[in-house]
Amino acid sequence: MPTAQHHHRSIPRFRLVALTIGLMLSAAGCFTGQRPELEPIPVIDDAAAQVVMERLDRAGSVTFTATYDIIPSTTGETTQATVRQLDDRTRITIGNVDFIIDRESSRTCRLDDQICVDSIDDARISDLNVTHRFWSDGIAARLSIDAARRVGFSEGHLETIAGRPAACADVPVLGGTVVYCALDAGVLARYFNADVSIELTSFTNDVDVTALDGDPDIDPDSDTGDA
């Protein structure tokens, strides 16, 4: 995890106007019914963190394909993830697990045995310490909490990540510093914390429409197992 020197300075404090997205931090869960909705991004009282939050707020409306490396600290092993989004259709592939969200429906599939459930089942990636929304409001929820409990003002800086400009905030919390970066175009670009590291490896504003539907060989009714 990179370290940064923090220069404390007087920054106007802004009033917190929205509740923290607490439930999205659960590493395991199962959501049934309609397509999950993005939660409102709160305004927070730290200038550098708010810059990153505003970029994450764009994630739900961006057309893009992005790839990531996810490294949980428990194993140190890299899991590759791909996120594709076009209008109200999203496909998030994290290792062996597909999350396919299309208009009013959603399903979770395992790619190895082609078993699906008609719901979002984050329990299938709980060992990675992320949810399927890691690239957007899932990390925004963590940023909101860390900005509220920080022990000093965050250090803001600009980076180029996967060839794209990004804004970053190094948020000082008890026990260390958490790094958040988001592309100017929206979506997460980098996240370094004690439990997991996430790094954007590629980003384009194009989407292969045929890739949004998941594996055509997978039967969405093949399993009705516990979610």
Side-chain angles (χ1 to χ4, degrees):
M1 179 187 301
T3 59
Q5 294 182 347
H6 303 286
H7 305 283
H8 298 285
R9 54 190 180 281
S10 177
I11 299 178
R13 297 179 66 85
F14 302 96
R15 184 183 178 189
L16 181 65
V17 298
L19 293 174
T20 300
I21 316 166
L23 293 177
M24 296 200 66
L25 289 180
S26 174
C30 178
F31 303 90
T32 59
Q34 294 184 341
R35 164 191 171 94
E37 297 291 337
L38 286 174
E39 296 288 343
I41 299 295
V43 175
I44 53 183
D45 63 347
D46 181 272
Q50 182 61 27
V51 169
V52 176
M53 188 72 82
E54 289 170 353
R55 282 155 176 75
L56 292 173
D57 193 22
R58 304 170 190 166
S61 59
V62 177
T63 296
F64 73 97
T65 300
T67 59
Y68 292 89
D69 285 343
I70 300 174
I71 308 175
S73 59
T74 51
T75 65
E77 297 180 357
T78 299
T79 295
Q80 295 182 336
T82 301
V83 182
R84 303 173 180 88
Q85 179 171 265
L86 176 63
D87 299 327
D88 56 359
R89 302 172 66 191
T90 309
R91 180 182 179 187
I92 306 113
T93 305
I94 304 175
N96 186 48
V97 181
D98 246 348
F99 300 92
I100 301 169
I101 304 168
D102 186 355
R103 299 176 180 87
E104 297 301 321
S105 65
S106 60
R107 70 183 192 268
T108 304
C109 301
R110 288 199 301 259
L111 298 180
D112 55 357
D113 55 18
Q114 300 185 350
I115 292 178
C116 297
V117 294
D118 290 325
S119 61
I120 295 298
D121 186 4
D122 277 327
R124 296 188 177 184
I125 56 169
S126 61
D127 58 323
L128 299 178
N129 298 322
V130 298
T131 73
H132 73 290
R133 305 298 309 185
F134 74 88
W135 50 279
S136 57
D137 49 359
I139 287 296
R142 293 191 179 206
L143 176 55
S144 179
I145 291 174
D146 284 341
R149 68 180 185 180
R150 58 184 170 78
V151 295
F153 284 111
S154 301
E155 181 74 14
H157 53 99
L158 302 178
E159 300 285 348
T160 299
I161 301 173
R164 295 279 183 148
C168 299
D170 299 342
V171 185
V173 297
L174 290 176
T177 299
V178 186
V179 178
Y180 293 87
C181 299
L183 292 189
D184 291 355
V187 312
L188 180 72
R190 178 177 293 157
Y191 175 75
F192 293 156
N193 197 4
D195 63 339
V196 64
S197 297
I198 307 171
E199 182 82 7
L200 179 74
T201 55
S202 70
F203 179 90
T204 176
N205 287 114
D206 298 323
V207 176
D208 179 0
V209 177
T210 62
L212 286 170
D213 295 324
D215 190 335
D217 295 329
I218 294 180
D219 179 3
D221 298 322
S222 58
D223 181 36
T224 58
D226 294 338

